Amino acid sequence: MNFVLCVHYDIMKNEMINFNSINTQTKVRRLAYVKTLMTMFLKSSYYPINLFYKKIESEAGKQNDDLLKYINNKGFIEVSKTGNSSKPYIETFLALKLLFTQNNMYRISKYGRVFNILQNELDIKTDNYFLLTTYEKAFLLYSILEKDGLYLQLIIELIEEKKQISIKDTKEVFQDFILIKLEESMYSLDMSSKLKKDVLLRIKRIKNWENPKRYLEHIIEPRVNWLLDLGFLCEDNFQKNILVLSEKGLLFFKEIKTSFDINQNFFTLIHRVYFDNTVVSLEKNDFALVTNYLEKSFILFKTSAPNRVTASQAILYTCYMMLFKENRIVNFSTIQDYLSSKENRKFIYDWYKTEQDGSIRRKK
Amino acid sequence: MNYETLGLKENPFRLTPPLDPKEIVWAGMSEVKSKLEKRIELGIRTRPSRIILNWGSYGSGKTHASLYFSKTDRLQELTTKLDAKPSKSIKITLPRSSSDIVQEFLRSFLGQYSLEEIYSDFQKLKDEVGEEQLVLMITNFSNDTVIGEVFKTLINTEDDKYFNILKNYIYGDSTKSTLNSLELPYGLKNDEQVANFIATIINCVTYEKQHYSSFIIWLDEFEDIDTIKKILADRFTTFLRQFIDKTPNNLMLFLNFTQKAFMDREDLSISLGEALSSRAKLKIDFENPTTDEAIAYVKELSNIYLIEDKELPFEDDALIKYVVEHMGNLTTRKINETFSIILEMALIEEKEKIDQTFIDSIQDEIIAWEE
């Protein structure tokens, strides 16, 4: 079974989004700038759109020394007159749903807030700003798989198939590679007519790319750099513009090749890719820990609404804390199942399919 | 076959809000009622205006609460208890169908507190405080000479024709002939003028708590602010902030929020804007009822409709508990929907007493039923 469609087909079965990809600009190469954006919201809850570009540019400048020392120093945010240097990054993180706009203001999204809370709770640092911590890699990978799964997974599949390929060649062959994989998937799966229609539409759009070379520059460059930042590519080869999967990259590929669902397996995947075997699966007794973290999320994610926390925030926070603090693997769906079960005597749990989110309230 | 066979005057479990004030009753949910009444009493006894956020799930009773305190005698019972002047309470649904959201709000306001009633209250006020004092109040509270002139004209109007011209003006008629008749330079169009207009009314009728001890506005379905165009939502929250700022005393603004999920944000707190959130210090949680509260609600509400000397149609408390425990997360609406269909099915099946065997036989008819 083709793994790409396997991932997305599972998502479709859950009536979620299919074939996700976001628009990117070639400049958006360093994932660590997410920290620059997110920490701005610790100082203010919103920024007027134009002011935010400038603020990010001046703030990003503080990391220039670290960028120069990093494996790759492309994707630099510099001070510009128009804010054009930071804008592509802001738009990418907006597309990854870490920010949102309201009334011409940038605001931190519910997921962005989870990132900031966890940064504070986990408090792990690396020597270089651009060298991401395991937690940061996990968080970004979650957002990317959710919103940009298609391209990221196809690029990694291409690298795995070729074993090694130059960035230049990747750009040359990628359009045909996507088309082959999408067309293959049409025959290899028992697809719903709606999904088939979506795949056909996607194929048509890719075939109609007017200037594929230029377009692929904006698709490939950011994503291969993200793979590098996530630790999935061999650094030495990358410096020679050659893409080779690292040990972690191969593990990641192996995980997503099999039936993968972000809600059911993501934290298992993170454990297998980034952790050694000291982490254990969740035992029944560990649910006391889960409820403690859910309880704590009522304080950390407090809003004007009384006795209520957004389900996705509380559950994601708990999953990360269980893995990074308690060395226990617990997936999003495991907590959802627990909240819906009779064993849950503490919380009232509502889930809305349309919004793919809900709320958790404490029982009286 | 009617509800009398079940010992009831009518089906107590309504699915839509009643229109007749006599049919608006409060059953069970004593904690929420007490919280609401304590805050209302605070507003009757003290001066500062307040914004209160009512949070609750869909069907948790927020709209019912606004109707209960706006349409029944309960509010006057509270003022009598506190030996205070009466309070005025109106319910307005968040405007969302017009491109002029503030004008729509003004029309809804006047729909609930008509110009005739305002006129009558101002005439009584004139008798109570004297014309000179009332004119001074209008001048001080209107923040706008044109709005001031509108009210000065209103208090001295005795002619129906002239009153109607004034009414047309307030409803947005700014034709030359209307302006000439009233000797006003321009119409009531600007959002800030509307804020001044409504604020003047409330500031005057609640002045020193002499005529009304407080003025309560329930803004229902506020969560729909998220479904209107951003520019309109922003305009409306700005208007609300202006209106609150211009009404510093004796106003209680209850904002009803239904909790729902959003793609990008936690909840609707953000839609209030910082200015309104910082002014909204009080909140009421319309929590889901517990099993015991749900049983109490079912019994209390059924008893209100019980025919004298008859018994409730439910076999016993255990039967009510059996149903309630099979409803998942409880809300008042869900309880109403469930017990309404149970009573209807009992009528159809010609049952006089409802027992577990009957409930089990109609489980498929009960949407909320969970194993």
Side-chain angles (χ1 to χ4, degrees):
Chain A
M1 192 182 275
N2 177 301
F3 88 86
V4 173
L5 261 293
C6 175
V7 172
H8 288 89
Y9 187 62
D10 279 352
I11 291 171
M12 276 306 290
K13 275 198 294 193
N14 292 333
E15 293 172 28
M16 288 168 70
I17 331 120
N18 65 334
F19 293 100
N20 288 325
S21 64
I22 59 169
N23 287 329
T24 46
Q25 207 249 31
T26 181
K27 183 189 174 67
V28 186
R29 301 190 189 185
R30 296 281 74 88
L31 288 173
Y33 279 129
V34 72
K35 292 185 274 188
T36 316
L37 264 77
M38 293 296 112
T39 47
M40 292 297 288
F41 292 100
L42 299 174
K43 298 172 200 160
S44 170
S45 54
Y46 60 86
Y47 291 91
I49 285 181
N50 288 329
L51 180 71
F52 196 49
Y53 300 144
K54 303 245 162 158
K55 285 255 178 202
I56 292 297
E57 287 178 1
S58 78
E59 199 64 25
K62 294 176 188 167
Q63 316 305 337
N64 288 355
D65 289 347
D66 273 1
L67 185 57
L68 292 170
K69 289 179 209 150
Y70 187 59
I71 328 152
N72 184 292
N73 54 23
K74 295 275 164 45
F76 186 56
I77 296 183
E78 58 193 338
V79 175
S80 69
K81 276 186 184 169
T82 53
N84 274 349
S85 187
S86 62
K87 195 177 171 188
Y89 275 97
I90 294 168
E91 285 178 346
T92 298
F93 292 123
L94 185 73
L96 288 174
K97 301 282 177 200
L98 297 174
L99 319 168
F100 72 100
T101 55
Q102 188 187 38
N103 298 336
N104 292 319
M105 305 278 185
Y106 279 114
R107 293 177 183 272
I108 191 162
S109 75
K110 56 185 179 183
Y111 299 114
R113 203 153 160 228
V114 176
F115 181 85
N116 273 355
I117 297 277
L118 283 165
Q119 282 287 55
N120 186 44
E121 293 274 303
L122 296 170
D123 196 24
I124 313 163
K125 297 266 184 306
T126 54
D127 295 339
N128 186 305
Y129 189 79
F130 293 90
L131 200 60
L132 300 169
T133 66
T134 309
Y135 152 67
E136 288 161 354
K137 286 176 188 167
F139 191 93
L140 286 158
L141 189 58
Y142 187 93
S143 296
I144 295 168
L145 281 176
E146 251 212 338
K147 305 291 171 208
D148 193 54
L150 183 67
Y151 289 149
L152 191 90
Q153 292 166 79
L154 280 172
I155 291 171
I156 211 163
E157 186 176 15
L158 175 69
I159 302 169
E160 201 278 336
E161 264 188 25
K162 303 282 180 194
K163 304 301 171 206
Q164 68 167 52
I165 181 168
S166 69
I167 297 177
K168 188 171 166 281
D169 287 348
T170 306
K171 290 176 197 166
E172 300 274 320
V173 301
F174 196 63
Q175 186 181 14
D176 287 340
F177 187 76
I178 315 173
L179 290 171
I180 291 166
K181 292 292 167 187
L182 288 179
E183 276 161 7
E184 268 178 13
S185 70
M186 302 267 300
Y187 302 104
S188 61
L189 283 174
D190 178 22
M191 269 188 186
S192 70
S193 56
K194 191 194 171 293
L195 183 57
K196 223 172 221 170
K197 212 172 139 192
D198 286 350
V199 177
L200 280 169
L201 192 71
R202 181 56 73 108
I203 290 172
K204 196 177 161 195
R205 272 168 51 193
I206 294 170
K207 277 184 180 165
N208 287 345
W209 282 351
E210 279 181 13
N211 189 345
K213 208 173 165 191
R214 199 165 154 194
Y215 197 58
L216 282 162
E217 165 78 18
H218 294 296
I219 292 178
I220 302 295
E221 284 293 358
R223 286 163 186 83
V224 294
N225 277 276
W226 297 353
L227 289 173
L228 177 76
D229 287 356
L230 293 168
F232 294 160
L233 295 178
C234 292
E235 295 174 6
D236 293 345
N237 288 303
F238 195 87
Q239 281 172 330
K240 294 173 215 152
N241 291 324
I242 304 289
L243 305 174
V244 177
L245 291 185
S246 67
E247 201 182 320
K248 285 186 171 53
L250 281 165
L251 280 171
F252 174 68
F253 175 69
K254 203 174 125 198
E255 286 299 316
I256 55 171
K257 198 169 71 169
T258 52
S259 182
F260 171 75
D261 179 300
I262 201 158
N263 279 345
Q264 288 173 17
N265 321 107
F266 180 75
F267 290 91
T268 311
L269 176 147
I270 291 298
H271 160 241
R272 289 187 184 150
V273 173
Y274 289 117
F275 283 68
D276 56 28
N277 286 329
T278 54
V279 179
V280 293
S281 290
L282 194 76
E283 300 289 330
K284 213 168 180 184
N285 297 341
D286 297 333
F287 275 107
L289 283 172
V290 170
T291 54
N292 281 348
Y293 282 117
L294 289 174
E295 191 75 48
K296 204 174 168 194
S297 68
F298 279 81
I299 302 161
L300 295 170
F301 299 99
K302 193 172 165 49
T303 67
S304 299
N307 183 28
R308 178 191 189 270
V309 68
T310 298
S312 62
Q313 286 184 319
I315 297 174
L316 275 177
Y317 165 74
T318 304
C319 291
Y320 281 109
M321 292 304 279
M322 288 298 287
L323 185 61
F324 286 89
K325 279 270 186 197
E326 307 294 343
N327 289 331
R328 297 282 189 281
I329 305 164
V330 52
N331 282 296
F332 198 96
S333 61
T334 314
I335 299 182
Q336 282 184 302
D337 292 346
Y338 166 72
L339 287 168
S340 309
S341 73
K342 285 220 163 107
E343 280 93 75
N344 164 29
R345 293 176 199 281
K346 269 192 152 176
F347 305 104
I348 299 165
Y349 170 62
D350 286 308
W351 186 260
Y352 308 100
K353 254 188 166 181
T354 328
E355 290 84 5
Q356 280 298 305
D357 208 341
S359 65
I360 303 174
R361 282 169 288 158
R362 291 192 207 94
K363 279 185 186 166
K364 274 197 268 186
Chain B
M1 204 65 184
N2 56 35
Y3 285 98
E4 281 174 24
T5 53
L6 291 164
L8 298 166
K9 292 172 204 158
E10 197 38 73
N11 188 339
F13 303 97
R14 301 189 62 106
L15 304 183
T16 49
L19 295 173
D20 185 350
K22 283 184 215 141
E23 291 178 13
I24 304 173
V25 293
W26 192 289
M29 314 301 165
S30 50
E31 206 175 308
V32 172
K33 189 181 178 200
S34 160
K35 280 183 194 169
L36 284 163
E37 292 189 345
K38 279 182 184 161
R39 279 150 186 80
I40 291 171
E41 285 177 7
L42 185 71
I44 294 168
R45 283 190 278 112
T46 61
R47 285 183 75 206
S49 292
R50 294 178 179 88
I51 302 177
I52 299 115
L53 307 180
N54 290 337
W55 292 89
S57 316
Y58 173 74
S60 59
K62 301 179 296 298
T63 304
H64 179 79
S66 52
L67 286 171
Y68 180 72
F69 288 104
S70 299
K71 304 274 184 195
T72 72
D73 294 336
R74 184 59 191 157
L75 186 59
Q76 298 331 322
E77 286 169 19
L78 294 177
T79 50
T80 308
K81 187 180 92 179
L82 295 171
D83 199 18
K85 286 284 165 68
S87 265
K88 180 84 189 160
S89 173
I90 59 169
K91 170 189 163 285
I92 297 173
T93 304
L94 180 86
R96 59 192 156 189
S97 57
S98 159
S99 58
D100 196 336
I101 192 163
V102 174
Q103 282 293 329
E104 198 182 338
F105 178 82
L106 172 65
R107 279 160 202 227
S108 299
F109 178 87
L110 293 171
Q112 296 302 313
Y113 186 30
S114 69
L115 203 59
E116 285 77 3
E117 208 181 335
I118 294 168
Y119 173 79
S120 159
D121 281 336
F122 269 77
Q123 293 305 321
K124 286 176 197 158
L125 203 56
K126 195 161 80 172
D127 294 342
E128 286 159 15
V129 301
E131 186 173 344
E132 200 181 329
Q133 173 65 19
L134 183 57
V135 169
L136 190 66
M137 279 155 61
I138 289 169
T139 310
N140 289 342
F141 295 142
S142 58
N143 290 308
D144 182 308
T145 49
V146 176
I147 298 296
E149 287 309 312
V150 171
F151 282 99
K152 285 172 199 166
T153 310
L154 180 76
I155 60 169
N156 288 314
T157 299
E158 281 170 7
D159 178 352
D160 276 356
K161 195 180 157 198
Y162 202 61
F163 179 81
N164 282 331
I165 297 172
L166 194 61
K167 193 172 176 178
N168 290 342
Y169 173 84
I170 291 165
Y171 273 94
D173 176 3
S174 56
T175 53
K176 212 171 174 183
S177 64
T178 301
L179 294 178
N180 284 342
S181 311
L182 297 170
E183 294 178 10
L184 292 171
Y186 45 80
L188 182 59
K189 295 260 181 200
N190 175 294
D191 290 357
E192 192 169 354
Q193 278 190 309
V194 175
N196 283 332
F197 177 79
I198 302 177
T200 309
I201 298 171
I202 296 173
N203 285 327
C204 287
V205 297
T206 61
Y207 180 70
E208 299 288 348
K209 296 187 183 289
Q210 283 183 29
H211 189 66
Y212 288 128
S213 53
S214 66
F215 200 103
I216 305 170
I217 299 177
W218 303 76
L219 196 43
D220 202 20
E221 298 177 17
F222 199 83
E223 70 281 359
D224 282 339
I225 192 124
D226 193 62
T227 63
I228 55 181
K229 280 186 195 162
K230 280 180 179 174
I231 193 161
L232 288 181
D234 193 27
R235 187 175 158 194
F236 190 66
T237 49
T238 306
F239 161 76
L240 271 189
R241 181 177 50 79
Q242 285 176 338
F243 165 54
I244 303 283
D245 284 350
K246 289 167 192 288
T247 321
N249 296 323
N250 304 320
L251 169 72
M252 297 192 85
L253 179 65
F254 284 90
L255 301 178
N256 285 354
F257 277 99
T258 296
Q259 290 163 349
K260 53 184 188 179
F262 298 93
M263 305 297 276
D264 47 16
R265 69 200 75 174
E266 292 97 334
D267 55 43
L268 276 163
S269 306
I270 211 171
S271 301
L272 280 173
E274 303 237 332
L276 279 181
S277 330
S278 62
R279 287 162 174 80
K281 300 284 180 219
L282 298 172
K283 49 190 112 167
I284 294 173
D285 188 0
F286 282 64
E287 289 177 271
N288 290 19
T290 60
T291 305
D292 287 344
E293 284 169 336
I295 296 168
Y297 170 79
V298 171
K299 287 172 68 180
E300 212 174 300
L301 189 57
S302 304
N303 272 315
I304 294 171
Y305 288 85
L306 193 66
I307 296 168
E308 215 174 317
D309 299 331
K310 295 274 184 179
E311 284 184 357
L312 288 182
F314 311 107
E315 194 174 41
D316 52 21
D317 285 7
L319 190 266
I320 302 174
K321 190 178 180 191
Y322 175 70
V323 176
V324 165
E325 284 185 336
H326 282 86
M327 284 170 56
N329 292 343
L330 295 167
T331 63
T332 321
R333 178 166 298 153
K334 218 165 161 186
I335 299 169
N336 286 346
E337 283 168 356
T338 301
F339 282 88
S340 178
I341 191 73
I342 289 172
L343 292 179
E344 295 215 340
M345 290 307 294
L347 278 192
I348 293 167
E349 301 293 330
E350 301 188 356
K351 291 272 172 194
E352 290 183 8
K353 208 74 185 168
I354 297 164
D355 55 19
Q356 194 179 327
T357 315
F358 174 69
I359 296 289
D360 288 340
S361 71
I362 59 157
Q363 275 178 20
D364 287 349
E365 306 288 339
I366 305 170
I367 298 168
W369 192 268
E370 284 180 19
E371 280 306 326

